[in-house]
């Protein structure tokens, strides 16, 4: 079974440029997550989708970040314009069920390493 | 969300047992305890999850005392490939939100 697919794996851009990340979750997983991971830190949740609906985007910097999950499958995370501080690894994860109080098992992709110059 | 505290790093030799203890004094009644493993340039991978007492799978064991204010991940007979960062996570809201801390860097040497 294929895991969570993310592209690109690496991206280098200059500040003020736009950038987009793509995620294809595991087939059948209704919940999709975007995380940002800074060097030496754990992942930080940016947004969570239940099917097409963004149910938690409280940590998403909405002035420059946007996300969409059309048709409840693939998802795209966009940054426009990018800033130096956006350099990080952007991780996508998916899970099958809406677990209560445990989170169940989330399956993570390999991430996209973004470098903003 | 309950806050977790775990050691920043641990060193071990191949073949030894590694025990990582995580403190979570504010754990809620319905909260579970979950551990993830992360290798460089990869996303985290689920290891084990438990609510109370002991849980064991093919990879690790999770020990949770009766008061549930801490938990210990036990990795038996580690190998070099167990070198990774290990994250302890406690509870979520009803929508499955996970809050990662900084994790514990485990380094296994020959």
């Amino acid at each position: 079974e294929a895991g969570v697919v993310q592209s690109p794996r690496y991206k280098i851009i200059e500040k003020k440029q736009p950038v987009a990340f793509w995620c294809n979750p595991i087939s059948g997983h209704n919940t999709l997550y975007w995380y940002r991971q800074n060097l030496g830190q754990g992942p930080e949740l940016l947004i969570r989708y239940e099917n097409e609906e963004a149910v938690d985007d409280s940590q998403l910097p909405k002035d420059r970040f946007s996300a969409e999950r059309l048709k409840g499958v693939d998802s795209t995370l966009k940054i426009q314009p990018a800033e130096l501080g956006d350099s990080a690894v952007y991780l996508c994860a998916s899970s099958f069920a809406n677990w209560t109080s445990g989170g169940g098992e989330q399956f993570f992709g390999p991430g996209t390493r973004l470098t903003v110059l | 969300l309950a806050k977790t505290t775990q050691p920043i790093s641990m060193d071990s030799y191949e073949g030894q047992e590694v025990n990582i203890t995580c403190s979570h004094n504010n754990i809620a009644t319905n909260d579970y305890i979950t551990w993830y493993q992360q290798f460089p340039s990869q996303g985290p991978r689920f290891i084990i999850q438990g609510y109370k007492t002991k849980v064991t799978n093919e990879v690790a064991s999770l020990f949770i005392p009766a008061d549930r204010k801490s938990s210990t991940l036990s990795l038996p007979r580690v190998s070099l490939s167990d070198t990774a960062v290990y994250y302890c996570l406690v509870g979520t809201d009803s929508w499955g939100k996970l809050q990662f801390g900084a994790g514990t860097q485990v380094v296994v040497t020959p």
Side-chain angles (χ1 to χ4, degrees):
Chain A
E1 178 182 337
V4 176
V5 179
Q6 290 188 247
S7 68
R9 289 296 312 276
Y10 304 91
K11 189 73 176 179
I12 300 174
I13 62 173
E14 294 187 347
K15 63 181 181 181
K16 300 185 181 180
Q17 294 298 306
V19 64
F21 314 120
W22 176 79
C23 173
N24 180 242
I26 292 174
S27 178
H29 283 192
N30 59 325
T31 306
L32 184 145
Y33 314 75
W34 282 103
Y35 290 86
R36 175 172 59 190
Q37 185 171 26
N38 292 309
L39 189 63
Q41 299 181 21
E44 171 195 7
L45 181 69
L46 293 175
I47 189 168
R48 181 175 71 233
Y49 282 92
E50 293 292 335
N51 300 306
E52 303 89 358
E53 182 181 3
V55 297
D56 183 357
D57 62 356
S58 57
Q59 298 293 96
L60 190 71
K62 298 180 181 62
D63 57 336
R64 297 182 300 105
F65 286 65
S66 64
E68 62 182 8
R69 191 185 184 197
L70 300 177
K71 301 181 181 180
V73 181
D74 296 0
S75 178
T76 302
L77 178 68
K78 298 178 181 178
I79 308 175
Q80 183 172 9
E83 297 179 352
L84 295 177
D86 295 331
S87 293
V89 175
Y90 291 82
L91 294 161
C92 178
S94 68
S95 64
F96 176 70
N98 175 16
W99 293 69
T100 59
S101 300
E105 180 174 356
Q106 293 188 16
F107 295 82
F108 284 80
T112 297
R113 181 176 297 277
L114 173 67
T115 302
V116 182
L117 302 176
Chain B
L1 298 176
K3 181 179 178 180
T4 61
T5 302
Q6 53 184 121
I8 295 175
S9 64
M10 296 183 70
D11 295 328
S12 180
Y13 292 104
E14 278 190 297
Q16 290 188 330
E17 179 181 79
V18 172
N19 296 306
I20 309 171
T21 296
C22 179
S23 298
H24 29 79
N25 292 319
N26 296 323
I27 189 169
T29 302
N30 295 329
D31 286 345
Y32 281 73
I33 300 155
T34 311
W35 286 80
Y36 279 76
Q37 174 193 55
Q38 186 175 26
F39 298 112
S41 300
Q42 295 185 25
R45 183 183 71 164
F46 176 93
I47 300 177
I48 197 167
Q49 184 180 74
Y51 183 79
K52 62 180 179 180
T53 61
K54 176 183 176 182
V55 179
T56 298
N57 60 24
E58 65 278 6
V59 177
S61 294
L62 179 60
F63 298 91
I64 305 169
D67 66 6
R68 303 198 330 120
K69 293 184 181 300
S70 67
S71 59
T72 299
L73 175 72
S74 181
L75 305 172
R77 298 181 298 281
V78 293
S79 64
L80 299 178
S81 62
D82 292 316
T83 294
V85 177
Y86 293 82
Y87 295 98
C88 166
L89 299 98
V90 170
T92 65
D93 57 25
S94 59
W95 292 99
K97 181 175 180 176
L98 292 180
Q99 183 167 323
F100 287 81
T104 297
Q105 173 69 63
V106 172
V107 177
V108 181
T109 55

